[in-house]
Amino acid sequence: MPTSTVLLCCVVLIQLFAGQTDARSSSPWQTLSGDAPLVIARGGFSGLFPDSSLNAYSFAVQTSVPGSALWCDVQLTKDGAGICFPDLKLNKASTVEYVYPNRQKSYPVNGVSTQGWFTIDFSLSDLSNVYLLRGILSRTEKFDGIYPILTVEYVTTQIKPESFWLNVQHDAFYEQQNLSMSNFLISASRIVSINYISSPEVNFFTKIAGRLGRNGPIFVFQFLRKEDIEPTTNRTYGSILSNLTFVKTFASGILVPKSYILPLDDKQYLVPPPPKSLVQDAHEAGLQVYVSGFANDIDIAHDYSSDPVSEYLSFVDNGNFSVDGVLSDFPLTASSSIDCFSHLGENAIKQVEFLVISKNGASGDYPGCTDLAYDKAIKDGADVIDCSVQMSSDGIPFCSRSIDLSNSTMISQTPFAQRSTLVPEISSNGGIYTFSLTWAEIRNLTPAIGNPYRSYTMFRNPNKKNSGKLILLSEFLNLANNSTLLSGVLISVENAVYLREKQGLDVVKAVLDTLTETGYGNGTTKTKVMIQSTNSSVLVEFKKQSKYEAVYKVDEKISDISDSAIEDIKKFANTVVIGKESVFSLLDSFITRQTNVVEKLQKSKLPVYVELFQNEFVSQPYDFFSDPTVEINSYILGAGINGTITEFPFTAARYRRNRCLGEKQTPLYMAPVQPGFLLHAVYAKPPAQAPNPDFTDDDVIEPPLPPVTAKSPTSAPGDSFTNAQAPRPSGQTRLTLSLRFSVFASLLLLWISSPLCS
């Protein structure tokens, strides 16, 4: 070859290599190729629909980022057909044991005797009347028994995924049963486009190497638990991991569980990572790294505050590496994490405006109303922090998420537990109330984090469950006033009538005096002051004495609100707070419809804040896919609310900056859910449901606050209830009480007119 030709070839190769290097160095992604990580939908959208069902695959394609891959765990039937099913044993996720109750068998699987209904004992025809079930019992059962088992060919020809990933779990087992997975794949590849093939068995790759053509699928070696034995080499997966150059001889990538990269300790907290990660080692060996185990509703480290987007970002956008792909049961969340929330930076521009209001500070991460909860709420991007004002027996206002200290502190484990008493005006259960202790006694109590989903064995941040300290209202106000990040404070006032009449405590005066003493004047500081209450009389009283913004809270679920009620609210309030179910009505944890409450209030110039937003998946209807960001998006973009009241301010504040909201056409993974969409997939005709009540002016109007009654020195909390008339209930509970009285009156008339009485 002439020298000039050789030189020209060298120059071209150098330029091509340089071009690839420049492309990768200019990419924000630290993947092996410099491309965005691949979203792999495990069995389709298996977090909602049964794994490998038609709807799971179709929904995954519709709601995932372009180029995402559909994952199929391929199994073989008795007659050699390839089906997409998540396990060797059909009984794990299908109705097979009900259809064929007597066809259970036992086989050695990787040397272990295993019982079940195996795919190899059924022909494709046998499976025509077997239907899919959910694999994780915490997920909805409403889609069970609806969808048939699909063949590999059907998925590719009918769904037409952009990328198709076949996972071969048990090649050696099938070979022992005289079935050849490699022959099936070679045959299928003639009519099916296969982009990726993965397997946890080394020998499978040596058998199939070179048999699928030069432009065949990418081979990915799947690692199981480090202590598990790889069946064809008898080595542990942990030992194979130590020799990535060996893996490179038969695969282009590795698929590992999350714990291989970011391990957890026994308490579900992240272990400090090593200086150099497995991802970086694999990339140096020329291997792509795919990660399995992503699901919004299970196995999320406490470090992520039950926020799946935060978990994804720790693997794809942590500043040190990016994995090359994520295997997820919820591909919509994986897609939005990668496309909408990656590489935002702290100063990313807000794409949408609404108020992020804390609920007792960042109470999802620390005990509510403590210094740590407020500090984190400010750091996490809350616009407004809140204080639920309680009163000590010596008249000191402070912040506590409950008037019952046994709900918010460890007081039940102290000698103060003997001060428990029954106060029917507040609760039908006994409590240790703030007005039973002085502030000097309260201030040293150990706070306790709230665990609203304890019944699901879900606990918040256990390492910090008793951290922080309760603070005075004055300390709360000073903290807010010294922050340059906050726009306002919200002060919640409840139980004012009881405190005035039975405890001689004027919470309204205490709040006003503290605001003045801390320099807030009368609504003249840069920090906006909002006063919230469910009692209109409280807000009327504040309005008489101040110019602070009044926030009226409707604490019951409503489906409509009358014009007269709105006009009454406007006389004393500037803003309204309603619950989430007053925006979206629910049936069986599915959204049925969107009410017109928000629209009617906003038309009357009343902004609407909604509570309570939480990150735990059990707090959300199935329509939100176990993703708190999807829920926030649906209330902001879908319902158009003006603010979120949340125990996790970081999630709401981050949502405002996601780049997908700034695009001309919002991608489907950032579109608000359509009310009733999933419900109609469950019911051809949804059953009738009892509607939430309408909110009328009778629910708004309250009598004026009573004067402060001096408390008797010898009276104990709740003693006076037996012999004195209870205070008038709030308007929002008057309807229930009036019904009880009318029923009682009817029974009394019947008794009077009965022969027994005469």
Side-chain angles (χ1 to χ4, degrees):
M1 181 181 292
T3 304
S4 59
T5 304
V6 174
L7 289 174
L8 178 61
C9 290
C10 290
V11 170
V12 170
L13 287 172
I14 291 170
Q15 288 178 339
L16 286 172
F17 179 76
Q20 291 176 351
T21 305
D22 290 340
R24 185 176 175 187
S25 63
S26 62
S27 169
W29 299 107
Q30 293 176 284
T31 56
L32 184 62
S33 66
D35 296 330
L38 178 69
V39 173
I40 312 156
R42 193 186 71 83
F45 208 122
S46 55
L48 179 64
F49 300 102
D51 190 306
S52 305
S53 65
L54 178 61
N55 267 20
Y57 282 129
S58 300
F59 201 60
V61 171
Q62 294 169 14
T63 58
S64 299
V65 68
S68 60
L70 291 189
W71 166 285
C72 164
D73 286 299
V74 60
Q75 315 293 347
L76 295 180
T77 63
K78 180 168 63 175
D79 47 350
I83 60 172
C84 292
F85 193 82
D87 196 83
L88 265 179
K89 298 194 298 179
L90 290 163
N91 54 294
K92 285 203 168 183
S94 82
T95 60
V96 68
E97 59 185 298
Y98 306 106
V99 180
Y100 301 106
N102 300 318
R103 293 179 66 172
Q104 183 180 20
K105 288 190 177 181
S106 179
Y107 290 97
V109 180
N110 294 340
V112 178
S113 180
T114 307
Q115 284 189 325
W117 283 256
F118 287 80
T119 63
I120 60 171
D121 294 320
F122 298 87
S123 68
L124 189 59
S125 177
D126 291 335
L127 298 179
S128 62
N129 57 346
V130 174
Y131 294 90
L132 297 167
L133 303 174
R134 72 198 189 281
I136 296 177
L137 295 180
S138 61
R139 295 170 179 172
T140 179
E141 80 286 359
K142 297 298 183 182
F143 301 109
D144 283 354
I146 297 175
Y147 306 104
I149 295 173
L150 304 179
T151 64
V152 171
E153 291 86 350
Y154 185 93
V155 173
T156 54
T157 57
Q158 299 301 312
I159 307 299
K160 296 181 175 61
E162 289 189 54
S163 186
F164 195 39
W165 186 310
L166 292 182
N167 183 51
V168 178
Q169 294 171 302
H170 296 286
D171 175 66
F173 171 81
Y174 287 116
E175 189 172 37
Q176 292 167 3
Q177 310 306 321
N178 296 318
L179 290 168
S180 174
M181 182 64 75
S182 55
N183 286 345
F184 165 76
L185 292 175
I186 292 165
S187 176
S189 67
R190 299 188 182 104
I191 57 174
V192 171
S193 177
I194 306 171
N195 304 92
Y196 298 86
I197 294 179
S198 59
S199 177
E201 298 181 5
V202 173
N203 283 2
F204 166 76
F205 292 104
T206 60
K207 286 193 307 182
I208 204 169
R211 301 181 65 187
L212 292 172
R214 293 182 59 186
N215 298 319
I218 295 171
F219 289 167
V220 179
F221 181 62
Q222 181 183 14
F223 283 83
L224 305 182
R225 293 179 303 177
K226 290 182 179 180
E227 65 272 19
D228 287 349
I229 302 295
E230 194 282 317
T232 63
T233 62
N234 289 323
R235 295 171 58 189
T236 66
Y237 287 98
S239 68
I240 295 175
L241 186 70
S242 64
N243 191 356
L244 291 176
T245 55
F246 165 67
V247 176
K248 179 62 177 173
T249 62
F250 60 85
S252 300
I254 59 174
L255 173 66
V256 298
K258 293 185 297 185
S259 60
Y260 272 49
I261 298 172
L262 296 177
L264 304 180
D265 63 18
D266 293 340
K267 292 184 177 181
Q268 286 292 101
Y269 285 93
L270 292 172
V271 174
K276 191 177 181 183
S277 75
L278 167 62
V279 179
Q280 292 162 316
D281 287 338
H283 283 174
E284 287 181 5
L287 289 166
Q288 293 182 316
V289 181
Y290 303 94
V291 186
S292 63
F294 288 95
N296 295 359
D297 52 358
I298 53 172
D299 193 28
I300 295 182
H302 291 298
D303 308 71
Y304 303 127
S305 302
S306 299
D307 180 356
V309 172
S310 291
E311 181 181 41
Y312 283 110
L313 294 178
S314 71
F315 283 85
V316 303
D317 182 25
N318 59 35
N320 296 315
F321 61 81
S322 298
V323 301
D324 299 276
V326 291
L327 178 61
S328 174
D329 291 12
F330 295 83
L332 179 146
T333 302
S335 297
S336 67
S337 300
I338 292 169
D339 193 39
C340 305
F341 293 102
S342 295
H343 310 119
L344 286 181
E346 295 182 359
N347 299 318
I349 298 172
K350 291 181 184 178
Q351 303 292 343
V352 63
E353 285 292 343
F354 64 92
L355 278 185
V356 176
I357 305 169
S358 74
K359 181 68 172 181
N360 305 316
S363 54
D365 294 299
Y366 291 100
C369 294
T370 60
D371 56 339
L372 294 181
Y374 289 128
D375 286 342
K376 190 169 194 306
I378 295 171
K379 178 183 176 183
D380 286 350
D383 302 302
V384 176
I385 57 173
D386 70 306
C387 170
S388 298
V389 175
Q390 313 297 344
M391 297 289 286
S392 64
S393 62
D394 49 346
I396 306 298
F398 66 99
C399 303
S400 175
R401 64 184 174 87
S402 176
I403 194 172
D404 181 357
L405 290 167
S406 59
N407 290 334
S408 58
T409 70
M410 302 300 293
I411 195 171
S412 60
Q413 298 180 16
T414 72
F416 295 128
Q418 63 186 354
R419 300 196 194 179
S420 177
T421 188
L422 180 65
V423 182
E425 297 96 325
I426 297 176
S427 173
S428 58
N429 301 315
I432 310 170
Y433 292 100
T434 62
F435 45 76
S436 300
L437 284 78
T438 65
W439 171 243
E441 294 170 323
I442 293 170
R443 71 184 310 160
N444 294 318
L445 293 174
T446 300
I449 200 167
N451 285 303
Y453 303 107
R454 181 187 298 269
S455 61
Y456 296 92
T457 64
M458 297 177 67
F459 298 93
R460 292 174 168 175
N461 201 5
N463 281 358
K464 300 295 182 181
K465 63 182 181 180
N466 299 122
S467 299
K469 64 176 183 178
L470 297 176
I471 63 175
L472 294 167
L473 174 61
S474 59
E475 294 173 315
F476 166 83
L477 291 171
N478 287 331
L479 172 68
N481 208 25
N482 291 332
S483 172
T484 59
L485 302 175
L486 294 173
S487 61
V489 293
L490 185 147
I491 299 170
S492 180
V493 176
E494 300 294 343
N495 303 302
V497 173
Y498 173 82
L499 291 172
R500 281 191 171 200
E501 287 191 334
K502 301 301 174 66
Q503 297 301 322
L505 297 170
D506 190 346
V507 63
V508 173
K509 184 178 186 301
V511 169
L512 289 171
D513 288 348
T514 306
L515 283 164
T516 301
E517 291 165 5
T518 51
Y520 279 75
N522 198 356
T524 58
T525 61
K526 65 178 180 63
T527 305
K528 181 170 67 173
V529 176
M530 297 184 282
I531 308 293
Q532 174 184 291
S533 183
T534 59
N535 191 316
S536 60
S537 299
V538 170
L539 299 179
V540 169
E541 189 73 16
F542 272 102
K543 186 174 182 180
K544 287 179 182 177
Q545 302 185 50
S546 70
K547 296 180 180 178
Y548 302 120
E549 183 175 317
V551 180
Y552 183 55
K553 179 179 175 181
V554 179
D555 64 350
E556 61 184 21
K557 302 171 189 175
I558 61 174
S559 59
D560 200 355
I561 185 168
S562 69
D563 293 338
S564 57
I566 293 175
E567 290 305 311
D568 283 333
I569 292 172
K570 290 178 67 176
K571 294 174 183 176
F572 60 84
N574 309 96
T575 308
V576 178
V577 170
I578 59 176
K580 291 191 296 186
E581 285 192 50
S582 294
V583 181
F584 293 117
S585 300
L586 300 182
L587 174 66
D588 292 339
S589 294
F590 289 92
I591 295 174
T592 59
R593 68 184 187 93
Q594 180 178 330
T595 73
N596 64 354
V597 175
V598 173
E599 180 184 5
K600 292 179 73 171
L601 288 168
Q602 291 177 340
K603 279 186 177 179
S604 296
K605 309 300 182 185
L606 286 170
V608 180
Y609 306 147
V610 174
E611 72 170 27
L612 178 65
F613 288 87
Q614 300 167 309
N615 281 3
E616 289 92 349
F617 73 94
V618 292
S619 71
Q620 303 145 14
Y622 293 116
D623 305 71
F624 299 137
F625 317 125
S626 303
D627 184 343
T629 299
V630 174
E631 180 177 46
I632 293 168
N633 184 54
S634 297
Y635 278 87
I636 298 300
L637 286 192
I641 67 173
N642 303 97
T644 58
I645 299 176
T646 174
E647 294 179 327
F648 297 88
F650 177 82
T651 303
R654 181 192 59 206
Y655 162 79
R656 294 186 296 196
R657 297 181 285 115
N658 90 77
R659 70 173 61 84
C660 291
L661 296 180
E663 296 179 3
K664 290 183 179 179
Q665 185 173 355
T666 304
L668 282 176
Y669 40 85
M670 194 47 64
V673 302
Q674 297 301 311
F677 170 74
L678 282 182
L679 188 70
H680 287 285
V682 176
Y683 302 105
K685 184 179 180 181
Q689 63 179 125
N692 292 332
D694 294 348
F695 201 70
T696 68
D697 48 354
D698 287 339
D699 300 303
V700 177
I701 301 170
E702 306 275 2
L705 290 180
V708 178
T709 303
K711 180 182 175 183
S712 170
T714 58
S715 67
D719 286 353
S720 59
F721 181 77
T722 305
N723 300 317
Q725 183 180 0
R728 182 179 176 184
S730 70
Q732 297 179 39
T733 58
R734 192 179 305 123
L735 177 61
T736 303
L737 291 172
S738 64
L739 287 173
R740 291 176 182 171
F741 284 129
S742 64
V743 171
F744 174 76
S746 300
L747 291 173
L748 182 62
L749 287 172
L750 287 172
W751 182 78
I752 291 173
S753 60
S754 70
L756 289 174
C757 184
S758 59

